[in-house]
Amino acid sequence: MKITVFGATGGIGREVVRQALDAGHEVTAVVRNPARLDVPAHDRLQVAVIADLTDVDALVPVLAGRSAVISALGAAGNKQAKAAPVTGPAVRAILAAMDRAGVSRLSAVSAAPVGPLPDGESLVTRAVVYPLLRRFLRDLYADLAVMEAEMGASGAQWTVIRPPKLRNKPRTGTYRRAIDANVRGGTAIPRADVADALLTTLTDPAYTGRAVGVAS
């Protein structure tokens, strides 16, 4: 496939780029600062520098002729999301550019607290963990919720990946998935496994139009 990756310089985005190249895909990595793309040069890797991800006209050329799009975008924290939402406005523009470029497949990373509590989840998680997360990171999750709403209202063939706490550990490929739910007892997952989920769900129609909880 020919894949355009947004958020390619982040922890998940770099893993997406590496894994996609290892799988034989052609990758266009969209970045603001190419010096932050810690991925070796490759003959199937193109780097596109775009400063404003809400500029639809600038996005169309990096999407034309592509098979799919992956968004690993996300605010650096709640303070940034509160000051200037990142993900919702960017994905809105990406969807508009995809429509103009004739690309329909999009996989994007969100977060577990944006989704529902799993059935049978522990009392501590239900009464303490999720309420605290949703309180202290409310602007970050609100931004992701806007992104999910934009995707759901679009004509794209979309998939949302909702991970819990992210860790810098190697890919295992043995993580759990839950369609339209979060994983019961799922507290963390390697960023590399989130990247794996973003890539592997692209080609499985069972995940089209669905939100997928993932966890180790």
Side-chain angles (χ1 to χ4, degrees), residues 1-6 16 28 30 59 62-64 66-73 91 94-95 97-99 101-109 151 157-159 198-199 202:
M1 289 192 296
K2 295 181 179 180
I3 304 172
T4 296
V5 180
F6 291 90
V16 170
T28 299
V30 179
L59 299 180
V62 301
L63 297 175
R66 297 336 189 256
S67 312
V69 178
I70 289 179
S71 171
L73 294 167
V91 171
I94 290 168
L95 287 163
M98 287 172 60
D99 186 59
V103 184
S104 61
R105 194 70 180 93
L106 170 64
S107 186
V109 66
M151 293 170 68
Q157 297 175 359
W158 57 268
T159 301
L198 287 165
L199 280 164
L202 283 178

PDB file of all heavy atoms in Angstrom, residues 1-6 16 28 30 59 62-64 66-73 91 94-95 97-99 101-109 151 157-159 198-199 202:
ATOM      1  N   MET A   1       0.827  -1.199   0.000  1.00  0.00           N
ATOM      2  CA  MET A   1       0.000   0.000   0.000  1.00  0.00           C
ATOM      3  C   MET A   1       0.869   1.259   0.000  1.00  0.00           C
ATOM      4  O   MET A   1       2.025   1.221   0.409  1.00  0.00           O
ATOM      5  CB  MET A   1      -0.894   0.043   1.242  1.00  0.00           C
ATOM      6  CG  MET A   1      -2.032  -0.958   1.263  1.00  0.00           C
ATOM      7  SD  MET A   1      -3.219  -0.595   2.586  1.00  0.00           S
ATOM      8  CE  MET A   1      -2.192  -0.846   4.027  1.00  0.00           C
ATOM      9  N   LYS A   2       0.266   2.334  -0.413  1.00  0.00           N
ATOM     10  CA  LYS A   2       0.864   3.657  -0.297  1.00  0.00           C
ATOM     11  C   LYS A   2       0.139   4.374   0.838  1.00  0.00           C
ATOM     12  O   LYS A   2      -1.066   4.618   0.745  1.00  0.00           O
ATOM     13  CB  LYS A   2       0.730   4.436  -1.605  1.00  0.00           C
ATOM     14  CG  LYS A   2       1.496   3.823  -2.770  1.00  0.00           C
ATOM     15  CD  LYS A   2       1.335   4.663  -4.026  1.00  0.00           C
ATOM     16  CE  LYS A   2       2.127   4.064  -5.187  1.00  0.00           C
ATOM     17  NZ  LYS A   2       1.984   4.883  -6.424  1.00  0.00           N
ATOM     18  N   ILE A   3       0.868   4.687   1.905  1.00  0.00           N
ATOM     19  CA  ILE A   3       0.265   5.206   3.127  1.00  0.00           C
ATOM     20  C   ILE A   3       0.845   6.572   3.470  1.00  0.00           C
ATOM     21  O   ILE A   3       2.064   6.757   3.446  1.00  0.00           O
ATOM     22  CB  ILE A   3       0.508   4.247   4.304  1.00  0.00           C
ATOM     23  CG1 ILE A   3      -0.022   2.841   3.988  1.00  0.00           C
ATOM     24  CG2 ILE A   3      -0.141   4.780   5.579  1.00  0.00           C
ATOM     25  CD1 ILE A   3       0.356   1.806   5.022  1.00  0.00           C
ATOM     26  N   THR A   4      -0.027   7.512   3.805  1.00  0.00           N
ATOM     27  CA  THR A   4       0.405   8.799   4.334  1.00  0.00           C
ATOM     28  C   THR A   4       0.212   8.781   5.840  1.00  0.00           C
ATOM     29  O   THR A   4      -0.864   8.429   6.332  1.00  0.00           O
ATOM     30  CB  THR A   4      -0.396   9.957   3.721  1.00  0.00           C
ATOM     31  OG1 THR A   4      -0.127  10.022   2.315  1.00  0.00           O
ATOM     32  CG2 THR A   4      -0.007  11.285   4.363  1.00  0.00           C
ATOM     33  N   VAL A   5       1.262   9.153   6.570  1.00  0.00           N
ATOM     34  CA  VAL A   5       1.238   9.111   8.031  1.00  0.00           C
ATOM     35  C   VAL A   5       1.356  10.523   8.588  1.00  0.00           C
ATOM     36  O   VAL A   5       2.342  11.226   8.325  1.00  0.00           O
ATOM     37  CB  VAL A   5       2.389   8.234   8.585  1.00  0.00           C
ATOM     38  CG1 VAL A   5       2.349   8.214  10.117  1.00  0.00           C
ATOM     39  CG2 VAL A   5       2.312   6.825   8.023  1.00  0.00           C
ATOM     40  N   PHE A   6       0.360  10.926   9.367  1.00  0.00           N
ATOM     41  CA  PHE A   6       0.399  12.200  10.072  1.00  0.00           C
ATOM     42  C   PHE A   6       0.832  11.950  11.514  1.00  0.00           C
ATOM     43  O   PHE A   6       0.512  10.931  12.101  1.00  0.00           O
ATOM     44  CB  PHE A   6      -0.972  12.877  10.041  1.00  0.00           C
ATOM     45  CG  PHE A   6      -1.383  13.357   8.680  1.00  0.00           C
ATOM     46  CD1 PHE A   6      -2.104  12.535   7.820  1.00  0.00           C
ATOM     47  CD2 PHE A   6      -1.040  14.627   8.247  1.00  0.00           C
ATOM     48  CE1 PHE A   6      -2.481  12.966   6.560  1.00  0.00           C
ATOM     49  CE2 PHE A   6      -1.406  15.080   6.984  1.00  0.00           C
ATOM     50  CZ  PHE A   6      -2.135  14.240   6.133  1.00  0.00           C
ATOM     51  N   VAL A  16       4.852   3.628  13.446  1.00  0.00           N
ATOM     52  CA  VAL A  16       4.039   3.348  12.260  1.00  0.00           C
ATOM     53  C   VAL A  16       4.892   3.384  11.007  1.00  0.00           C
ATOM     54  O   VAL A  16       4.828   2.495  10.154  1.00  0.00           O
ATOM     55  CB  VAL A  16       2.871   4.354  12.141  1.00  0.00           C
ATOM     56  CG1 VAL A  16       2.187   4.216  10.782  1.00  0.00           C
ATOM     57  CG2 VAL A  16       1.855   4.144  13.250  1.00  0.00           C
ATOM     58  N   THR A  28       4.538   8.092   3.035  1.00  0.00           N
ATOM     59  CA  THR A  28       4.769   9.529   3.040  1.00  0.00           C
ATOM     60  C   THR A  28       4.577  10.002   4.470  1.00  0.00           C
ATOM     61  O   THR A  28       3.475   9.910   5.026  1.00  0.00           O
ATOM     62  CB  THR A  28       3.800  10.272   2.111  1.00  0.00           C
ATOM     63  OG1 THR A  28       3.988   9.826   0.770  1.00  0.00           O
ATOM     64  CG2 THR A  28       4.032  11.780   2.172  1.00  0.00           C
ATOM     65  N   VAL A  30       4.304  12.900   7.043  1.00  0.00           N
ATOM     66  CA  VAL A  30       4.018  14.330   7.109  1.00  0.00           C
ATOM     67  C   VAL A  30       4.533  14.863   8.441  1.00  0.00           C
ATOM     68  O   VAL A  30       4.157  14.369   9.506  1.00  0.00           O
ATOM     69  CB  VAL A  30       2.511  14.594   6.966  1.00  0.00           C
ATOM     70  CG1 VAL A  30       2.225  16.102   7.051  1.00  0.00           C
ATOM     71  CG2 VAL A  30       2.001  14.031   5.643  1.00  0.00           C
ATOM     72  N   LEU A  59      -2.672  19.831   2.129  1.00  0.00           N
ATOM     73  CA  LEU A  59      -2.747  18.402   2.423  1.00  0.00           C
ATOM     74  C   LEU A  59      -3.066  17.549   1.201  1.00  0.00           C
ATOM     75  O   LEU A  59      -2.638  16.391   1.117  1.00  0.00           O
ATOM     76  CB  LEU A  59      -3.807  18.144   3.498  1.00  0.00           C
ATOM     77  CG  LEU A  59      -3.591  18.795   4.866  1.00  0.00           C
ATOM     78  CD1 LEU A  59      -4.741  18.435   5.799  1.00  0.00           C
ATOM     79  CD2 LEU A  59      -2.264  18.367   5.468  1.00  0.00           C
ATOM     80  N   VAL A  62      -0.227  15.495  -0.642  1.00  0.00           N
ATOM     81  CA  VAL A  62       0.409  14.370   0.057  1.00  0.00           C
ATOM     82  C   VAL A  62      -0.553  13.195   0.216  1.00  0.00           C
ATOM     83  O   VAL A  62      -0.159  12.132   0.702  1.00  0.00           O
ATOM     84  CB  VAL A  62       0.959  14.788   1.434  1.00  0.00           C
ATOM     85  CG1 VAL A  62       1.975  15.893   1.283  1.00  0.00           C
ATOM     86  CG2 VAL A  62      -0.158  15.183   2.401  1.00  0.00           C
ATOM     87  N   LEU A  63      -1.806  13.379  -0.233  1.00  0.00           N
ATOM     88  CA  LEU A  63      -2.799  12.312  -0.173  1.00  0.00           C
ATOM     89  C   LEU A  63      -3.144  11.750  -1.545  1.00  0.00           C
ATOM     90  O   LEU A  63      -3.615  10.607  -1.640  1.00  0.00           O
ATOM     91  CB  LEU A  63      -4.076  12.828   0.505  1.00  0.00           C
ATOM     92  CG  LEU A  63      -3.932  13.280   1.960  1.00  0.00           C
ATOM     93  CD1 LEU A  63      -5.239  13.882   2.464  1.00  0.00           C
ATOM     94  CD2 LEU A  63      -3.520  12.113   2.837  1.00  0.00           C
ATOM     95  N   ALA A  64      -2.927  12.524  -2.574  1.00  0.00           N
ATOM     96  CA  ALA A  64      -3.283  12.076  -3.925  1.00  0.00           C
ATOM     97  C   ALA A  64      -2.532  10.797  -4.279  1.00  0.00           C
ATOM     98  O   ALA A  64      -1.319  10.695  -4.102  1.00  0.00           O
ATOM     99  CB  ALA A  64      -2.960  13.177  -4.936  1.00  0.00           C
ATOM    100  N   ARG A  66      -2.734   7.921  -2.813  1.00  0.00           N
ATOM    101  CA  ARG A  66      -2.446   7.040  -1.687  1.00  0.00           C
ATOM    102  C   ARG A  66      -3.579   6.038  -1.475  1.00  0.00           C
ATOM    103  O   ARG A  66      -4.724   6.284  -1.832  1.00  0.00           O
ATOM    104  CB  ARG A  66      -2.233   7.830  -0.397  1.00  0.00           C
ATOM    105  CG  ARG A  66      -1.048   8.792  -0.334  1.00  0.00           C
ATOM    106  CD  ARG A  66       0.099   8.491  -1.251  1.00  0.00           C
ATOM    107  NE  ARG A  66       1.264   9.317  -1.004  1.00  0.00           N
ATOM    108  CZ  ARG A  66       1.634  10.340  -1.757  1.00  0.00           C
ATOM    109  NH1 ARG A  66       0.924  10.680  -2.809  1.00  0.00           N
ATOM    110  NH2 ARG A  66       2.746  11.004  -1.472  1.00  0.00           N
ATOM    111  N   SER A  67      -3.238   4.923  -0.836  1.00  0.00           N
ATOM    112  CA  SER A  67      -4.220   3.879  -0.544  1.00  0.00           C
ATOM    113  C   SER A  67      -4.923   4.121   0.786  1.00  0.00           C
ATOM    114  O   SER A  67      -6.091   3.744   0.957  1.00  0.00           O
ATOM    115  CB  SER A  67      -3.542   2.502  -0.483  1.00  0.00           C
ATOM    116  OG  SER A  67      -2.697   2.282  -1.581  1.00  0.00           O
ATOM    117  N   ALA A  68      -4.212   4.713   1.730  1.00  0.00           N
ATOM    118  CA  ALA A  68      -4.751   4.867   3.076  1.00  0.00           C
ATOM    119  C   ALA A  68      -4.003   5.960   3.819  1.00  0.00           C
ATOM    120  O   ALA A  68      -2.908   6.368   3.427  1.00  0.00           O
ATOM    121  CB  ALA A  68      -4.657   3.546   3.845  1.00  0.00           C
ATOM    122  N   VAL A  69      -4.610   6.387   4.927  1.00  0.00           N
ATOM    123  CA  VAL A  69      -4.047   7.437   5.774  1.00  0.00           C
ATOM    124  C   VAL A  69      -4.046   6.945   7.215  1.00  0.00           C
ATOM    125  O   VAL A  69      -5.006   6.311   7.664  1.00  0.00           O
ATOM    126  CB  VAL A  69      -4.873   8.739   5.672  1.00  0.00           C
ATOM    127  CG1 VAL A  69      -4.303   9.813   6.595  1.00  0.00           C
ATOM    128  CG2 VAL A  69      -4.928   9.225   4.228  1.00  0.00           C
ATOM    129  N   ILE A  70      -2.975   7.238   7.928  1.00  0.00           N
ATOM    130  CA  ILE A  70      -2.914   6.961   9.363  1.00  0.00           C
ATOM    131  C   ILE A  70      -2.640   8.261  10.090  1.00  0.00           C
ATOM    132  O   ILE A  70      -1.726   9.005   9.732  1.00  0.00           O
ATOM    133  CB  ILE A  70      -1.831   5.926   9.698  1.00  0.00           C
ATOM    134  CG1 ILE A  70      -2.256   4.534   9.201  1.00  0.00           C
ATOM    135  CG2 ILE A  70      -1.552   5.887  11.200  1.00  0.00           C
ATOM    136  CD1 ILE A  70      -1.238   3.450   9.464  1.00  0.00           C
ATOM    137  N   SER A  71      -3.436   8.531  11.124  1.00  0.00           N
ATOM    138  CA  SER A  71      -3.189   9.688  11.980  1.00  0.00           C
ATOM    139  C   SER A  71      -2.715   9.214  13.344  1.00  0.00           C
ATOM    140  O   SER A  71      -3.443   8.526  14.068  1.00  0.00           O
ATOM    141  CB  SER A  71      -4.456  10.526  12.157  1.00  0.00           C
ATOM    142  OG  SER A  71      -4.239  11.514  13.162  1.00  0.00           O
ATOM    143  N   ALA A  72      -1.491   9.587  13.677  1.00  0.00           N
ATOM    144  CA  ALA A  72      -0.955   9.352  15.017  1.00  0.00           C
ATOM    145  C   ALA A  72      -0.838  10.683  15.746  1.00  0.00           C
ATOM    146  O   ALA A  72      -0.012  10.847  16.641  1.00  0.00           O
ATOM    147  CB  ALA A  72       0.405   8.667  14.929  1.00  0.00           C
ATOM    148  N   LEU A  73      -1.679  11.632  15.356  1.00  0.00           N
ATOM    149  CA  LEU A  73      -1.653  12.965  15.950  1.00  0.00           C
ATOM    150  C   LEU A  73      -2.217  12.942  17.363  1.00  0.00           C
ATOM    151  O   LEU A  73      -3.074  12.129  17.695  1.00  0.00           O
ATOM    152  CB  LEU A  73      -2.475  13.935  15.098  1.00  0.00           C
ATOM    153  CG  LEU A  73      -1.941  14.239  13.700  1.00  0.00           C
ATOM    154  CD1 LEU A  73      -3.014  14.942  12.881  1.00  0.00           C
ATOM    155  CD2 LEU A  73      -0.677  15.085  13.788  1.00  0.00           C
ATOM    156  N   VAL A  91      -7.701  16.583  11.920  1.00  0.00           N
ATOM    157  CA  VAL A  91      -8.372  15.450  11.265  1.00  0.00           C
ATOM    158  C   VAL A  91      -9.559  15.929  10.432  1.00  0.00           C
ATOM    159  O   VAL A  91      -9.856  15.353   9.382  1.00  0.00           O
ATOM    160  CB  VAL A  91      -8.782  14.387  12.307  1.00  0.00           C
ATOM    161  CG1 VAL A  91      -9.678  13.328  11.675  1.00  0.00           C
ATOM    162  CG2 VAL A  91      -7.536  13.728  12.895  1.00  0.00           C
ATOM    163  N   ILE A  94      -7.879  16.866   7.323  1.00  0.00           N
ATOM    164  CA  ILE A  94      -7.404  15.652   6.635  1.00  0.00           C
ATOM    165  C   ILE A  94      -8.560  14.953   5.919  1.00  0.00           C
ATOM    166  O   ILE A  94      -8.423  14.518   4.770  1.00  0.00           O
ATOM    167  CB  ILE A  94      -6.725  14.712   7.641  1.00  0.00           C
ATOM    168  CG1 ILE A  94      -5.397  15.302   8.110  1.00  0.00           C
ATOM    169  CG2 ILE A  94      -6.492  13.323   7.028  1.00  0.00           C
ATOM    170  CD1 ILE A  94      -4.796  14.604   9.315  1.00  0.00           C
ATOM    171  N   LEU A  95      -9.701  14.850   6.583  1.00  0.00           N
ATOM    172  CA  LEU A  95     -10.874  14.217   5.962  1.00  0.00           C
ATOM    173  C   LEU A  95     -11.321  14.986   4.717  1.00  0.00           C
ATOM    174  O   LEU A  95     -11.672  14.384   3.693  1.00  0.00           O
ATOM    175  CB  LEU A  95     -12.013  14.122   6.975  1.00  0.00           C
ATOM    176  CG  LEU A  95     -11.840  13.069   8.069  1.00  0.00           C
ATOM    177  CD1 LEU A  95     -12.797  13.343   9.221  1.00  0.00           C
ATOM    178  CD2 LEU A  95     -12.080  11.667   7.496  1.00  0.00           C
ATOM    179  N   ALA A  97      -9.411  16.867   2.828  1.00  0.00           N
ATOM    180  CA  ALA A  97      -8.397  16.650   1.797  1.00  0.00           C
ATOM    181  C   ALA A  97      -8.482  15.236   1.222  1.00  0.00           C
ATOM    182  O   ALA A  97      -8.272  15.038   0.017  1.00  0.00           O
ATOM    183  CB  ALA A  97      -7.002  16.903   2.387  1.00  0.00           C
ATOM    184  N   MET A  98      -8.779  14.256   2.059  1.00  0.00           N
ATOM    185  CA  MET A  98      -8.964  12.890   1.572  1.00  0.00           C
ATOM    186  C   MET A  98     -10.092  12.821   0.554  1.00  0.00           C
ATOM    187  O   MET A  98      -9.986  12.155  -0.480  1.00  0.00           O
ATOM    188  CB  MET A  98      -9.261  11.946   2.737  1.00  0.00           C
ATOM    189  CG  MET A  98      -8.069  11.633   3.626  1.00  0.00           C
ATOM    190  SD  MET A  98      -8.528  10.692   5.117  1.00  0.00           S
ATOM    191  CE  MET A  98      -9.256   9.205   4.370  1.00  0.00           C
ATOM    192  N   ASP A  99     -11.182  13.514   0.846  1.00  0.00           N
ATOM    193  CA  ASP A  99     -12.328  13.519  -0.066  1.00  0.00           C
ATOM    194  C   ASP A  99     -11.938  14.107  -1.416  1.00  0.00           C
ATOM    195  O   ASP A  99     -12.286  13.570  -2.477  1.00  0.00           O
ATOM    196  CB  ASP A  99     -13.470  14.315   0.569  1.00  0.00           C
ATOM    197  CG  ASP A  99     -14.739  14.248  -0.250  1.00  0.00           C
ATOM    198  OD1 ASP A  99     -15.249  13.133  -0.471  1.00  0.00           O
ATOM    199  OD2 ASP A  99     -15.232  15.314  -0.667  1.00  0.00           O
ATOM    200  N   ALA A 101      -8.920  14.205  -2.643  1.00  0.00           N
ATOM    201  CA  ALA A 101      -7.882  13.381  -3.266  1.00  0.00           C
ATOM    202  C   ALA A 101      -8.397  11.998  -3.661  1.00  0.00           C
ATOM    203  O   ALA A 101      -7.669  11.236  -4.298  1.00  0.00           O
ATOM    204  CB  ALA A 101      -6.697  13.235  -2.317  1.00  0.00           C
ATOM    205  N   GLY A 102      -9.623  11.667  -3.253  1.00  0.00           N
ATOM    206  CA  GLY A 102     -10.173  10.366  -3.595  1.00  0.00           C
ATOM    207  C   GLY A 102      -9.639   9.223  -2.754  1.00  0.00           C
ATOM    208  O   GLY A 102      -9.563   8.084  -3.216  1.00  0.00           O
ATOM    209  N   VAL A 103      -9.255   9.512  -1.515  1.00  0.00           N
ATOM    210  CA  VAL A 103      -8.767   8.486  -0.587  1.00  0.00           C
ATOM    211  C   VAL A 103      -9.835   8.269   0.476  1.00  0.00           C
ATOM    212  O   VAL A 103     -10.359   9.230   1.041  1.00  0.00           O
ATOM    213  CB  VAL A 103      -7.451   8.924   0.089  1.00  0.00           C
ATOM    214  CG1 VAL A 103      -6.909   7.815   0.981  1.00  0.00           C
ATOM    215  CG2 VAL A 103      -6.427   9.323  -0.949  1.00  0.00           C
ATOM    216  N   SER A 104     -10.143   7.000   0.779  1.00  0.00           N
ATOM    217  CA  SER A 104     -11.250   6.740   1.685  1.00  0.00           C
ATOM    218  C   SER A 104     -10.854   6.109   3.014  1.00  0.00           C
ATOM    219  O   SER A 104     -11.597   6.193   3.983  1.00  0.00           O
ATOM    220  CB  SER A 104     -12.285   5.829   1.012  1.00  0.00           C
ATOM    221  OG  SER A 104     -11.708   4.585   0.665  1.00  0.00           O
ATOM    222  N   ARG A 105      -9.683   5.472   3.102  1.00  0.00           N
ATOM    223  CA  ARG A 105      -9.353   4.678   4.297  1.00  0.00           C
ATOM    224  C   ARG A 105      -8.517   5.487   5.277  1.00  0.00           C
ATOM    225  O   ARG A 105      -7.461   6.028   4.923  1.00  0.00           O
ATOM    226  CB  ARG A 105      -8.593   3.417   3.879  1.00  0.00           C
ATOM    227  CG  ARG A 105      -8.495   2.369   4.982  1.00  0.00           C
ATOM    228  CD  ARG A 105      -9.837   1.727   5.270  1.00  0.00           C
ATOM    229  NE  ARG A 105      -9.725   0.727   6.339  1.00  0.00           N
ATOM    230  CZ  ARG A 105      -9.948   1.005   7.622  1.00  0.00           C
ATOM    231  NH1 ARG A 105     -10.255   2.241   8.000  1.00  0.00           N
ATOM    232  NH2 ARG A 105      -9.871   0.054   8.525  1.00  0.00           N
ATOM    233  N   LEU A 106      -8.992   5.547   6.529  1.00  0.00           N
ATOM    234  CA  LEU A 106      -8.308   6.299   7.579  1.00  0.00           C
ATOM    235  C   LEU A 106      -8.317   5.519   8.876  1.00  0.00           C
ATOM    236  O   LEU A 106      -9.365   5.041   9.330  1.00  0.00           O
ATOM    237  CB  LEU A 106      -9.002   7.651   7.804  1.00  0.00           C
ATOM    238  CG  LEU A 106      -8.565   8.467   9.026  1.00  0.00           C
ATOM    239  CD1 LEU A 106      -7.110   8.891   8.907  1.00  0.00           C
ATOM    240  CD2 LEU A 106      -9.473   9.678   9.210  1.00  0.00           C
ATOM    241  N   SER A 107      -7.153   5.383   9.485  1.00  0.00           N
ATOM    242  CA  SER A 107      -7.024   4.798  10.814  1.00  0.00           C
ATOM    243  C   SER A 107      -6.362   5.834  11.714  1.00  0.00           C
ATOM    244  O   SER A 107      -5.345   6.423  11.334  1.00  0.00           O
ATOM    245  CB  SER A 107      -6.174   3.518  10.760  1.00  0.00           C
ATOM    246  OG  SER A 107      -6.138   2.859  12.004  1.00  0.00           O
ATOM    247  N   ALA A 108      -6.942   6.075  12.898  1.00  0.00           N
ATOM    248  CA  ALA A 108      -6.443   7.147  13.758  1.00  0.00           C
ATOM    249  C   ALA A 108      -6.395   6.695  15.208  1.00  0.00           C
ATOM    250  O   ALA A 108      -7.224   5.909  15.667  1.00  0.00           O
ATOM    251  CB  ALA A 108      -7.330   8.384  13.642  1.00  0.00           C
ATOM    252  N   VAL A 109      -5.432   7.223  15.945  1.00  0.00           N
ATOM    253  CA  VAL A 109      -5.299   6.884  17.357  1.00  0.00           C
ATOM    254  C   VAL A 109      -6.081   7.873  18.214  1.00  0.00           C
ATOM    255  O   VAL A 109      -6.048   9.084  17.984  1.00  0.00           O
ATOM    256  CB  VAL A 109      -3.818   6.839  17.777  1.00  0.00           C
ATOM    257  CG1 VAL A 109      -3.159   8.216  17.712  1.00  0.00           C
ATOM    258  CG2 VAL A 109      -3.681   6.261  19.180  1.00  0.00           C
ATOM    259  N   MET A 151     -14.778  11.917  12.243  1.00  0.00           N
ATOM    260  CA  MET A 151     -14.604  10.697  11.466  1.00  0.00           C
ATOM    261  C   MET A 151     -15.938   9.976  11.278  1.00  0.00           C
ATOM    262  O   MET A 151     -16.274   9.506  10.190  1.00  0.00           O
ATOM    263  CB  MET A 151     -13.581   9.790  12.152  1.00  0.00           C
ATOM    264  CG  MET A 151     -12.169  10.362  12.140  1.00  0.00           C
ATOM    265  SD  MET A 151     -10.985   9.469  13.178  1.00  0.00           S
ATOM    266  CE  MET A 151     -10.853   7.913  12.284  1.00  0.00           C
ATOM    267  N   GLN A 157     -13.898   5.490   5.209  1.00  0.00           N
ATOM    268  CA  GLN A 157     -13.865   4.158   5.817  1.00  0.00           C
ATOM    269  C   GLN A 157     -12.848   4.242   6.962  1.00  0.00           C
ATOM    270  O   GLN A 157     -11.656   4.058   6.756  1.00  0.00           O
ATOM    271  CB  GLN A 157     -13.457   3.116   4.779  1.00  0.00           C
ATOM    272  CG  GLN A 157     -14.432   2.987   3.620  1.00  0.00           C
ATOM    273  CD  GLN A 157     -13.933   2.040   2.550  1.00  0.00           C
ATOM    274  OE1 GLN A 157     -12.851   1.478   2.650  1.00  0.00           O
ATOM    275  NE2 GLN A 157     -14.727   1.864   1.510  1.00  0.00           N
ATOM    276  N   TRP A 158     -13.336   4.488   8.148  1.00  0.00           N
ATOM    277  CA  TRP A 158     -12.461   4.852   9.259  1.00  0.00           C
ATOM    278  C   TRP A 158     -12.379   3.756  10.312  1.00  0.00           C
ATOM    279  O   TRP A 158     -13.266   2.919  10.445  1.00  0.00           O
ATOM    280  CB  TRP A 158     -12.931   6.144   9.911  1.00  0.00           C
ATOM    281  CG  TRP A 158     -14.351   6.084  10.414  1.00  0.00           C
ATOM    282  CD1 TRP A 158     -15.478   6.442   9.728  1.00  0.00           C
ATOM    283  CD2 TRP A 158     -14.784   5.608  11.697  1.00  0.00           C
ATOM    284  NE1 TRP A 158     -16.595   6.223  10.495  1.00  0.00           N
ATOM    285  CE2 TRP A 158     -16.204   5.714  11.709  1.00  0.00           C
ATOM    286  CE3 TRP A 158     -14.137   5.112  12.823  1.00  0.00           C
ATOM    287  CZ2 TRP A 158     -16.974   5.348  12.828  1.00  0.00           C
ATOM    288  CZ3 TRP A 158     -14.895   4.737  13.926  1.00  0.00           C
ATOM    289  CH2 TRP A 158     -16.285   4.852  13.922  1.00  0.00           C
ATOM    290  N   THR A 159     -11.293   3.820  11.071  1.00  0.00           N
ATOM    291  CA  THR A 159     -11.113   2.999  12.270  1.00  0.00           C
ATOM    292  C   THR A 159     -10.432   3.863  13.324  1.00  0.00           C
ATOM    293  O   THR A 159      -9.472   4.573  13.016  1.00  0.00           O
ATOM    294  CB  THR A 159     -10.242   1.762  11.995  1.00  0.00           C
ATOM    295  OG1 THR A 159     -10.854   0.964  10.983  1.00  0.00           O
ATOM    296  CG2 THR A 159     -10.075   0.925  13.268  1.00  0.00           C
ATOM    297  N   LEU A 198      -2.846   0.190  14.324  1.00  0.00           N
ATOM    298  CA  LEU A 198      -3.194   1.179  13.301  1.00  0.00           C
ATOM    299  C   LEU A 198      -2.965   0.616  11.897  1.00  0.00           C
ATOM    300  O   LEU A 198      -3.769   0.854  10.983  1.00  0.00           O
ATOM    301  CB  LEU A 198      -2.367   2.448  13.493  1.00  0.00           C
ATOM    302  CG  LEU A 198      -2.744   3.330  14.687  1.00  0.00           C
ATOM    303  CD1 LEU A 198      -1.637   4.330  14.980  1.00  0.00           C
ATOM    304  CD2 LEU A 198      -4.059   4.057  14.416  1.00  0.00           C
ATOM    305  N   LEU A 199      -1.892  -0.119  11.723  1.00  0.00           N
ATOM    306  CA  LEU A 199      -1.564  -0.671  10.403  1.00  0.00           C
ATOM    307  C   LEU A 199      -2.410  -1.884  10.048  1.00  0.00           C
ATOM    308  O   LEU A 199      -2.943  -1.976   8.937  1.00  0.00           O
ATOM    309  CB  LEU A 199      -0.081  -1.048  10.356  1.00  0.00           C
ATOM    310  CG  LEU A 199       0.893   0.107  10.118  1.00  0.00           C
ATOM    311  CD1 LEU A 199       2.312  -0.313  10.472  1.00  0.00           C
ATOM    312  CD2 LEU A 199       0.820   0.569   8.665  1.00  0.00           C
ATOM    313  N   LEU A 202      -6.090  -1.547   8.922  1.00  0.00           N
ATOM    314  CA  LEU A 202      -6.354  -0.905   7.628  1.00  0.00           C
ATOM    315  C   LEU A 202      -6.916  -1.880   6.599  1.00  0.00           C
ATOM    316  O   LEU A 202      -7.728  -1.508   5.752  1.00  0.00           O
ATOM    317  CB  LEU A 202      -5.063  -0.293   7.069  1.00  0.00           C
ATOM    318  CG  LEU A 202      -4.579   1.024   7.657  1.00  0.00           C
ATOM    319  CD1 LEU A 202      -3.271   1.420   6.998  1.00  0.00           C
ATOM    320  CD2 LEU A 202      -5.619   2.123   7.478  1.00  0.00           C
TER     321      LEU A 202
END
